[in-house]
Amino acid sequence: MNARPGGLHDSATTAAFDAPRWRRDFPIMKQRVHGKPLVYLDNAATSQKPQAVIDAVSDYYQHYNSNVHRGVHQLSELATAAYEGAREKLRQFINAASKQEIIFVRGTTEAINLVAQSYGRSHLQSGDEIILSEMEHHSNIVPWQLLREQTGVTLKVIPINDAGELQPGAYETLFSARTRLVSLAHVSNALGSVNPVKEMISLAHQHNVPLLLDGAQAVPHMPVDVRDLDCDFYAFSSHKMFGPTGIGVLYAKEQILIDMPPYQGGGEMIRTVRFNGSTWNELPHKFEAGTPDIAAAIGLGAAVDYLETIGMPSIRDYERGLLEYGTQQLQSLAGVKIVGTARHKAGVLSFVMDGVHPHDIGTIVDQQGVAIRTGHHCAMPVMEHFHIPATARASLAFYNTREDINALVQALDKVREVFR
Amino acid sequence: MDLKDLYQDVVVDHNRSPRNFRKITDATSVQEGFNPLCGDKLTVYLKLDGDRISDVSFEGSGCAISVASASLMTETLKGKSVAQAEQLFEMMHTLLTVEDPKRDMESMGKLAVLSGVREYPSRVKCATLCWHTLNNALKNPDSRPVSTE
Ligand SMILES: Cc1ncc(COP(=O)(O)O)c(C=O)c1O
């Protein structure tokens, strides 16, 4: 299944993907909301979980719950094998060079904070510069502001245009002799824009600057190969990729991790502890202080297996077709305007409606069983750019269908009716 | 729950044409209210003549519930005493948060149309933002934005 990049999508490819079949793997889809069948279009906030993930979590608690890396007893060995097995699955999934480069964290937010506090505080000084973009999630803004308070670094921001794309050419001009890091969304959660990250990474490397990608909205929707991208850091969350909450991954190149001090201190991350000083455990454990969310890591491993059964290229192609359909449907509604019309987009439909506040849209469509998100989507600078307080946002996953889009459109008719 | 209980005609009407939607240039107190969760932003202008509210108005942007609530509030409060306003603030608060079949709806006048909001917990803050802002204006005349998050 080779989709023409960025081009129109033929329906034959879309038809070949059996979304209703995959949807049946998600028990929550049988829920009714306000007496109506659930239409779940809030996947950018969090995704639903297939039975395989739910089973993996409960299997751990029922049959081999135990701490990892601590015991010689059988359960601990089983738990350790499953936990480390999940790490290996994630390594393969994003094609990292080694398991040492896969650090389990709580999610994207913690991954970025880890880099800011460990890498940032040890490598950056007052006057050094970090490049971000105007479309970042707050979790890729605020950790750098905290670092700014601690070290006096300067933040530079790549502006966006009215389509919600990074302004062409602006990025290059932000580099200076003091640039030390670029930190950027792979895919924007508020706009759906897919950034040209490969070229941006290569440009950063020409300036000898490492680059962090916030992949929270990319990993669930497209193949990601960190070695092909050649990014230095990559952060993502399990709960947005059909895995449990409470776990996520920081990928970083091994040499960079070796040069970084620990983020938190405690058990697991040490080799020896004496009161006059301690030594650190090897990677990746140096960055995993304390008992991790073992069940969630195992569940995330199951989510990776599940996604690989379907195939990330198929998911990407199917969602591209669905996004195109949804875009056409929303554009055909009078008074509806899509916010975020980048040429390269993932399955996010942010929109506003003439004369109706997004919050009212959210409440009314919810009464029809349609779950969308309304608000600023943790991207206040994006809202400011478009001079709007909020948007309504429908965000897709591979288990969504054209019927879901149709249900949204019908629910929006109801919104019109109320505010007629 | 019927949507009509939330978006009653009076609410839709006050959203479409909010009353007292203007500045008061000689206000005795001006307060800003902000709900960071949804971006609702209101400014309440209050003009006290001794103990009487001689004029009250608002400006800002928000969802239908918050705009209608602010509009209804200004309409209700004009001419009332500070004590009466404080009492209405309390009544409004319980109207939106506590189910009470014996409640005296008569005394709430038009404000009663907002009782349906109680069934939508995520929207209660929309309806109370203007009241918190007003309360702030009554309590301390020097401007500090209030947040309902
Ligand atoms: C682009 C992006 N970055 C970061 C995050 C934060 O992820 P989490 O809350 O899982 O740490 C999100 C999710 O809200 C996101 O969409």
Side-chain angles (χ1 to χ4, degrees):
Chain A
M1 265 198 289
N2 276 325
R4 283 152 281 160
L8 262 174
H9 200 76
D10 63 70
S11 53
T13 320
T14 309
F17 188 91
D18 193 359
R21 180 249 169 276
W22 301 117
R23 188 187 185 97
R24 282 194 293 276
D25 292 333
F26 292 76
I28 206 168
M29 295 301 174
K30 295 194 209 80
Q31 289 295 313
R32 295 180 79 82
V33 171
H34 304 296
K36 311 253 169 46
L38 168 65
V39 175
Y40 189 75
L41 292 169
D42 194 16
N43 294 288
T46 199
S47 61
Q48 299 303 343
K49 320 304 173 201
Q51 190 67 51
V53 168
I54 298 168
D55 287 348
V57 171
S58 81
D59 188 46
Y60 162 73
Y61 284 127
Q62 287 194 36
H63 300 297
Y64 60 101
N65 173 58
S66 179
N67 213 327
V68 290
H69 305 302
R70 309 247 166 125
V72 294
H73 59 81
Q74 186 181 1
L75 294 191
S76 175
E77 278 173 6
L78 285 174
T80 304
Y83 180 73
E84 290 304 322
R87 197 191 307 277
E88 172 58 20
K89 286 175 188 177
L90 282 145
R91 182 200 70 72
Q92 287 178 24
F93 190 57
I94 61 168
N95 194 31
S98 96
K99 264 179 68 176
Q100 337 282 59
E101 299 176 327
I102 303 292
I103 315 287
F104 281 128
V105 290
R106 277 198 301 127
T108 309
T109 303
E110 189 176 54
I112 299 174
N113 277 281
L114 191 163
V115 176
Q117 290 303 307
S118 168
Y119 182 86
R121 290 189 85 165
S122 62
H123 287 67
L124 272 64
Q125 294 167 358
S126 179
D128 285 347
E129 296 167 3
I130 301 173
I131 298 178
L132 310 174
S133 92
E134 198 180 356
M135 68 170 76
E136 298 312 313
H137 188 279
H138 295 164
S139 64
N140 195 23
I141 300 175
V142 184
W144 307 115
Q145 292 175 331
L146 294 175
L147 181 67
R148 177 170 66 188
E149 280 167 27
Q150 292 158 342
T151 61
V153 296
T154 303
L155 306 182
K156 292 192 159 180
V157 181
I158 312 165
I160 57 175
N161 63 21
D162 291 341
E165 296 161 331
L166 298 177
Q167 276 185 22
Y171 174 53
E172 280 184 65
T173 65
L174 294 181
F175 281 92
S176 81
R178 299 300 301 269
T179 310
R180 294 288 178 268
L181 185 71
V182 179
S183 192
L184 187 71
H186 191 168
V187 174
S188 151
N189 69 308
L191 300 162
S193 322
V194 180
N195 288 319
V197 291
K198 209 168 162 179
E199 295 87 79
M200 296 178 80
I201 291 164
S202 127
L203 190 80
H205 289 171
Q206 282 167 32
H207 289 88
N208 284 319
V209 172
L211 187 143
L212 181 155
L213 284 181
D214 167 356
Q217 300 294 343
V219 174
H221 305 289
M222 59 187 68
V224 170
D225 180 332
V226 291
R227 270 190 287 174
D228 176 55
L229 289 169
D230 198 26
C231 56
D232 303 277
F233 302 94
Y234 200 97
F236 56 102
S237 300
S238 156
H239 70 97
K240 294 185 200 283
M241 55 185 291
F242 319 100
T245 52
I247 195 100
V249 169
L250 170 67
Y251 158 84
K253 288 178 178 165
E254 190 162 353
Q255 192 53 52
I256 297 180
L257 289 171
I258 289 171
D259 293 340
M260 281 163 61
Y263 171 51
Q264 292 177 333
E268 192 69 50
M269 53 74 67
I270 42 79
R271 190 192 307 282
T272 58
V273 176
R274 294 204 183 82
F275 278 106
N276 61 2
S278 299
T279 57
W280 314 141
N281 200 342
E282 62 209 22
L283 289 175
H285 311 292
K286 180 170 102 178
F287 292 103
E288 293 182 4
T291 301
D293 194 336
I294 303 164
I298 293 169
L300 172 58
V304 165
D305 285 343
Y306 182 78
L307 285 170
E308 284 188 328
T309 313
I310 306 175
M312 292 313 296
S314 311
I315 288 175
R316 175 198 54 203
D317 294 349
Y318 172 73
E319 287 184 17
R320 191 181 286 160
L322 195 59
L323 174 68
E324 206 163 294
Y325 178 73
T327 305
Q328 285 162 0
Q329 294 302 303
L330 286 189
Q331 274 171 345
S332 70
L333 298 177
V336 170
K337 189 170 147 262
I338 295 179
V339 180
T341 49
R343 251 173 322 125
H344 296 283
K345 257 188 87 168
V348 171
L349 288 159
S350 249
F351 61 95
V352 290
M353 213 167 166
D354 277 351
V356 187
H357 191 279
H359 258 207
D360 297 310
I361 299 176
T363 296
I364 297 168
V365 303
D366 173 59
Q367 290 292 310
Q368 319 305 309
V370 179
I372 61 170
R373 168 115 185 241
T374 61
H376 53 58
H377 317 297
C378 298
M380 282 192 184
V382 170
M383 299 300 123
E384 233 165 78
H385 177 91
F386 290 98
H387 307 289
I388 46 180
T391 72
R393 179 188 72 185
S395 52
L396 311 174
F398 62 83
Y399 43 58
N400 290 123
T401 60
R402 291 186 172 207
E403 284 70 51
D404 293 338
I405 306 276
N406 297 343
L408 171 66
V409 168
Q410 270 182 9
L412 292 176
D413 284 344
K414 186 84 190 172
V415 175
R416 274 278 166 253
E417 211 177 285
V418 169
F419 284 96
R420 193 168 32 212
Chain B
M1 186 76 211
D2 195 309
L3 276 171
K4 272 280 152 208
D5 295 337
L6 181 65
Y7 295 105
Q8 297 202 21
D9 291 343
V10 177
V11 171
V12 173
D13 173 54
H14 275 256
N15 175 52
R16 190 176 296 132
S17 13
R19 323 293 197 264
N20 304 306
F21 191 80
R22 57 183 160 82
K23 252 189 202 51
I24 297 174
T25 44
D26 57 346
T28 51
S29 178
V30 180
Q31 285 288 321
E32 277 177 27
F34 179 51
N35 182 343
L37 212 59
C38 51
D40 286 358
K41 221 180 250 177
L42 293 178
T43 306
V44 169
Y45 301 88
L46 181 69
K47 189 177 173 193
L48 285 179
D49 186 2
D51 185 45
R52 290 268 141 209
I53 297 175
S54 63
D55 201 3
V56 54
S57 71
F58 79 107
E59 284 182 321
S61 69
C63 65
I65 305 301
S66 75
V67 170
S69 179
S71 173
L72 287 160
M73 177 185 83
T74 57
E75 227 183 29
T76 309
L77 287 182
K78 228 186 270 189
K80 297 269 193 302
S81 70
V82 170
Q84 283 172 315
E86 283 170 352
Q87 198 187 1
L88 277 166
F89 170 69
E90 289 304 323
M91 286 168 76
M92 208 44 207
H93 195 74
T94 48
L95 175 77
L96 293 170
T97 51
V98 186
E99 174 102 56
D100 176 9
K102 294 197 294 285
R103 174 175 287 120
D104 172 18
M105 297 297 267
E106 290 283 295
S107 64
M108 305 237 32
K110 265 194 197 169
L111 295 174
V113 301
L114 289 165
S115 63
V117 177
R118 194 172 56 234
E119 303 297 325
Y120 298 82
S122 67
R123 304 301 300 276
V124 168
K125 283 170 179 167
C126 308
T128 53
L129 178 63
C130 61
W131 285 94
H132 284 289
T133 314
L134 171 92
N135 197 39
N136 225 30
L138 289 170
K139 292 241 145 63
N140 67 63
D142 57 331
S143 272
R144 232 188 106 251
V146 301
S147 153
T148 59
E149 196 188 31

